[in-house]
Amino acid sequence: MPSADTGASTVVAATTPVPDSDSRLTPGGPGYRRMSFALFLAGVATFALLYSTQALLPLISSGFAVSASAASWTVAAATGGLALFVLPMSALSERFGRRTVMTASLVVAVSLGVLVPFAPSLGALVALRFLQGAALAGLPASATAYLAEEVRPKALVTAIGLFVAGNSVGGMSGRVITGWVAQEWGWRVAVGVIGVIAVGCAIAFRLLLPAPRHFTPGSLRPRVLARTVRDHLANPLLCRLYAIGALFMTVFGGVYTVIGYRLTEAPFSLPQGLIGSIFLVYLVGTVSASTAGRLVGRLGRRGALYLAGGTTAAGLVVSLADSLPLVLLGLVLITAGFFAGHAVASSAVSKTATTGRAQASALYQSAYYIGSSTGSTVGAMAFHAGGWAGTVGVGVLAVAGVVTITVLGSRAARTRQRPAAISPSGA
């Protein structure tokens, strides 16, 4: 008969946890909080710099005596520069490392931020903003690739959601701060203040971000890069996700480029400081992005995208009212839907791509910021032609595109599953 000691040993062995061989970061584990906060600050700096002129467009229009559509190029140039350079920057991150490229991008971007307030003309301002956007291109794709390599898969959506939440805080704080500062000292001082804040974020980011432990250097050969990009573009799911990101950002870019002009006009006639404070609704985006992981867990990816698209569309319709509370409610819904949809789509790209993650993320970011540039320019043109209803019309068409693409994805998934459910006998 086995002794009592033997039985006790059996119980101890059965209840002793098996050591976890996965050394990637996980919530509650060492380094996860530092990593999350570092990338949160990187997101703050990126969006604060990228959209630093958006809340100031009416002042820039009057300062340079140009139209709304001309002033909107100070936003479109920055996002366009990012869209054009995000893929080359992602290739550099494959060779030299995610942390190195992200750090270099922030250093160059904040340095240009010091020059932006001294732009002597609209053309010079647009050129500086383009260069700033190109410099920032090293951040988004490298950050999502870093997370895909360093964070466990189950925590990836949450981790990317926190980075996107940093984007929302940066976008909000940049616009709120510039609004109040510009009301007292003008738009040049306002963008200068944002540059100083971004310097602090960049320094803290570099000090906090853990060194990568799972990065393997890749090749810089153009042929290898072209093959990787071609493979990603041949993946129908990735292409659908790229299109969804672009369409969501078309809505968001158009709405927030034009909203300042609408609120300066009757029946609202708000001062610049209050218009900047409108962007406090970005806090809603911080919450919706950071909870995207739980949303996907409950509804699935496509269900979450339907909910995000429906919320965004509802916000667009509500914002048509000539009532400030209803306009604010509309902005809340648009912001919540956009950030949730963006977090879901961007994390799905990182999960779908098993190789060349930086390029996969870069293609998403490129499409996303092309959507931003398109939304900024087309939304401003629609506002000039048809008022706020014209901008809303552009947004509704973009949301309809999101829903259509998601429906097509659902049908494609059912088609792939159907043959697997049929036995060889045809039953």
Side-chain angles (χ1 to χ4, degrees):
M1 283 186 65
S3 66
D5 288 342
T6 304
S9 299
T10 303
V11 172
V12 170
T15 56
T16 300
V18 178
D20 193 344
S21 60
D22 193 341
S23 60
R24 286 175 291 182
L25 299 173
T26 187
Y32 184 85
R33 287 186 179 179
R34 285 181 56 208
M35 177 274 299
S36 297
F37 188 50
L39 288 175
F40 178 85
L41 290 175
V44 169
T46 299
F47 257 48
L49 290 171
L50 198 62
Y51 294 100
S52 59
T53 63
Q54 194 172 57
L56 306 172
L57 292 179
L59 294 179
I60 292 173
S61 288
S62 60
F64 289 119
V66 296
S67 66
S69 57
S72 71
W73 277 102
T74 64
V75 179
T79 54
L82 193 152
L84 287 174
F85 282 86
V86 67
L87 189 57
M89 287 291 197
S90 73
L92 292 177
S93 82
E94 291 281 8
R95 179 65 183 87
F96 299 108
R98 320 300 186 195
R99 188 169 69 161
T100 299
V101 170
M102 286 190 285
T103 301
S105 291
L106 279 176
V107 168
V108 175
V110 299
S111 300
L112 288 167
V114 176
L115 300 177
V116 166
F118 303 100
S121 64
L122 180 64
L125 178 59
V126 169
L128 284 171
R129 295 282 293 147
F130 175 82
L131 294 174
Q132 198 170 41
L136 287 169
L139 249 305
S142 298
T144 51
Y146 175 94
L147 289 169
E149 292 164 352
E150 304 297 328
V151 175
R152 296 190 188 186
K154 289 185 178 180
L156 183 59
V157 176
T158 300
I160 290 180
L162 288 172
F163 174 65
V164 173
N167 294 166
S168 70
V169 169
M172 175 205 69
S173 59
R175 291 163 170 92
V176 172
I177 291 170
T178 55
W180 285 106
V181 173
Q183 183 170 298
E184 296 296 328
W185 295 288
W187 70 266
R188 294 181 186 273
V189 175
V191 294
V193 169
I194 293 302
V196 172
I197 292 172
V199 169
C201 289
I203 293 171
F205 162 81
R206 187 60 181 84
L207 293 175
L208 289 172
L209 189 69
R213 299 174 61 187
H214 302 277
F215 169 72
T216 302
S219 173
L220 271 178
R221 289 180 295 172
R223 184 176 298 178
V224 174
L225 176 62
R227 183 170 62 247
T228 302
V229 170
R230 184 178 65 247
D231 290 344
H232 289 328
L233 293 177
N235 185 320
L237 174 56
L238 286 177
C239 287
R240 286 195 294 270
L241 293 170
Y242 298 154
I244 286 171
L247 289 168
F248 266 124
M249 195 54 168
T250 298
V251 181
F252 199 68
V255 165
Y256 278 100
T257 294
V258 171
I259 190 64
Y261 290 99
R262 186 188 185 199
L263 295 178
T264 57
E265 298 177 351
F268 307 108
S269 303
L270 297 182
Q272 185 64 45
L274 284 179
I275 290 173
S277 296
I278 294 296
F279 292 93
L280 284 168
V281 297
Y282 266 49
L283 289 172
V284 176
T286 304
V287 175
S288 67
S290 60
T291 58
R294 291 198 294 272
L295 193 64
V296 172
R298 291 180 181 180
L299 303 177
R301 184 178 67 244
R302 287 185 287 273
L305 289 172
Y306 285 133
L307 180 60
T311 302
T312 304
L316 288 166
V317 173
V318 170
S319 73
L320 286 168
D322 286 333
S323 163
L324 186 57
L326 289 178
V327 170
L328 291 176
L329 176 60
L331 291 176
V332 166
L333 294 173
I334 292 166
T335 303
F338 162 73
F339 275 105
H342 170 40
V344 171
S346 61
S347 60
V349 168
S350 296
K351 280 189 171 183
T352 302
T354 55
T355 60
R357 284 193 176 101
Q359 281 74 47
S361 297
L363 288 168
Y364 175 83
Q365 296 294 335
S366 183
Y368 174 81
Y369 286 108
I370 287 172
S372 177
S373 296
T374 301
S376 297
T377 53
V378 175
M381 292 169 63
F383 180 76
H384 181 73
W388 181 250
T391 303
V392 167
V394 172
V396 168
L397 287 175
V399 172
V402 169
V403 173
T404 300
I405 291 169
T406 307
V407 168
L408 293 175
S410 299
R411 291 180 177 176
R414 287 196 296 269
T415 300
R416 288 195 303 271
Q417 292 169 0
R418 194 174 298 125
I422 301 175
S423 67
S425 61

